[in-house]
Amino acid sequence: RCSTAAERHSSLARLRGERALQAMRVKLTPTLANARPSAPHTPTLMNAEGRAIGSQQRRALLFSLLPVVWPAVMPVPMAILGTQQASAFDNRLPADEIMKKYPTPKTPGPQPQDLGLRADGTLKACVDSKPHCFSSSLTGSGLENLAEDEELVKEEWMVDPFVFTGGKSDADAYSQLEQAVLDYPPGQAGIDGGGWKIIKESEKDGVKYMYVQYESLRRGYIDDVEFALAKGIVNVRTSSRVGYLDLGVNAKRYNWFARRLQSTGKWKTRSIQQAEHPEYFAQNQLSSDA
């Protein structure tokens, strides 16, 4: 008796496989006429009339048997196991010709577990020394405790926060920031074709927080972007999860938001430029400003 559905399925599949082989009356005969004494015997498939089956017919026969024989070999059928498909954002661009011709699995990378607001209302610094991250916050970098009279050496990953100059209302500032996020076009500057999604919005101690994920089109790399608004100042962090380089992706994304907000006439922003981040541009082989 079979105690489980998987065992019953496997038993029935084996029985169907045996019956299929018997019905086709396939028999194997060794062909030794042209074989060397040291060569292994090569079996020849014969049909019901005793004629040898050609190579194309052999392949066709084997492929026809796969749906019957494979479930008998596997303890649990693939139909039960299923295939795990990576989730896709609703606003992603359609697959391009390269994706259709050479499909590859997505590589989102593990989601960082240490994102979110810090105790001082800012965000995490870029602490892995890789040219694939920018942050306007110093928290966790070892530089946040410098005395006021000490000169701060600006690191490659440091960028300016976005400053709201259109009034004193954080509600108005956040509304405009949120609208900029909603207006972000997947595929701009050749990046983020996999779309984006707002993962979290919250407010704590007067600090408004937003966490957004952006996905690359072909490989499905996920980048994590955070905004923290308080008293008209928006701290920003954008970082890749996997790889050493980002090929300019984070700079292009940060600059889109900087220029988009600046264009409203109610924000003061500064784009990432090669002159201030020479190492980032050199390592990512970028020839001009993003």
Side-chain angles (χ1 to χ4, degrees):
R1 293 176 178 270
C2 301
S3 58
T4 66
E7 291 176 353
R8 289 196 297 271
H9 181 95
S10 179
S11 178
L12 291 173
R14 280 195 293 270
L15 180 60
R16 288 198 298 268
E18 292 172 359
R19 289 178 178 176
L21 290 174
Q22 293 174 0
M24 285 185 282
R25 293 184 295 175
V26 176
K27 58 183 179 179
L28 300 177
T29 59
T31 57
L32 305 177
N34 298 323
R36 299 177 183 177
S38 60
H41 295 172
T42 304
T44 300
L45 289 174
M46 310 292 290
N47 61 18
E49 289 75 25
R51 298 178 181 178
I53 296 177
S55 60
Q56 293 183 351
Q57 292 175 311
R58 286 199 300 271
R59 284 195 294 269
L61 175 61
L62 291 174
F63 279 113
S64 68
L65 288 175
L66 278 177
V68 178
V69 178
W70 180 255
V73 178
M74 294 296 293
V76 180
M78 294 303 293
I80 294 177
L81 289 177
T83 56
Q84 184 177 1
Q85 298 291 334
S87 60
F89 296 140
D90 294 338
N91 52 8
R92 69 177 288 112
L93 298 180
D96 58 20
E97 293 302 319
I98 293 180
M99 295 175 63
K100 294 177 181 178
K101 189 173 182 180
Y102 305 105
T104 57
K106 290 188 175 184
T107 314
Q111 180 173 333
Q113 300 301 308
D114 57 351
L115 300 180
L117 290 173
R118 283 0 193 200
D120 59 358
T122 61
L123 302 171
K124 179 184 176 182
C126 298
V127 296
D128 61 3
S129 302
K130 298 177 182 179
H132 67 193
C133 177
F134 291 102
S135 177
S136 60
S137 301
L138 296 175
T139 306
S141 67
L143 302 175
E144 62 268 39
N145 296 321
L146 290 177
E148 293 183 2
D149 58 348
E150 292 185 74
E151 182 179 357
L152 175 63
V153 178
K154 190 167 186 178
E155 299 291 330
E156 280 281 334
W157 51 263
M158 288 182 61
V159 290
D160 291 341
F162 302 150
V163 180
F164 182 59
T165 59
K168 297 182 179 181
S169 171
D170 277 355
D172 291 344
Y174 188 82
S175 177
Q176 293 185 27
L177 174 65
E178 185 178 43
Q179 189 59 53
V181 172
L182 296 175
D183 289 343
Y184 186 86
Q188 70 88 18
I191 68 170
D192 300 331
W196 53 266
K197 182 179 181 180
I198 298 176
I199 304 300
K200 180 181 179 180
E201 290 183 274
S202 64
E203 183 173 356
K204 181 180 180 181
D205 298 330
V207 182
K208 297 179 183 295
Y209 173 81
M210 184 190 302
Y211 168 38
V212 192
Q213 291 180 357
Y214 294 83
E215 181 179 322
S216 67
L217 179 61
R218 293 175 181 168
R219 297 302 300 272
Y221 298 126
I222 296 290
D223 288 354
D224 302 290
V225 179
E226 299 175 281
F227 303 95
L229 167 66
K231 299 180 180 179
I233 297 177
V234 178
N235 277 292
V236 187
R237 185 178 190 273
T238 175
S239 179
S240 300
R241 294 182 181 179
V242 298
Y244 181 78
L245 304 174
D246 71 356
L247 304 180
V249 170
N250 286 284
K252 292 177 180 178
R253 185 184 302 117
Y254 174 93
N255 284 352
W256 187 91
F257 283 105
R259 292 162 182 160
R260 169 67 167 74
L261 294 175
Q262 181 81 25
S263 67
T264 65
K266 297 181 179 181
W267 291 82
K268 179 183 178 182
T269 66
R270 184 178 180 84
S271 299
I272 295 171
Q273 300 175 4
Q274 185 175 10
E276 297 178 351
H277 302 271
E279 192 67 19
Y280 172 84
F281 278 79
Q283 291 197 51
N284 281 290
Q285 299 182 354
L286 304 175
S287 58
S288 61
D289 291 339

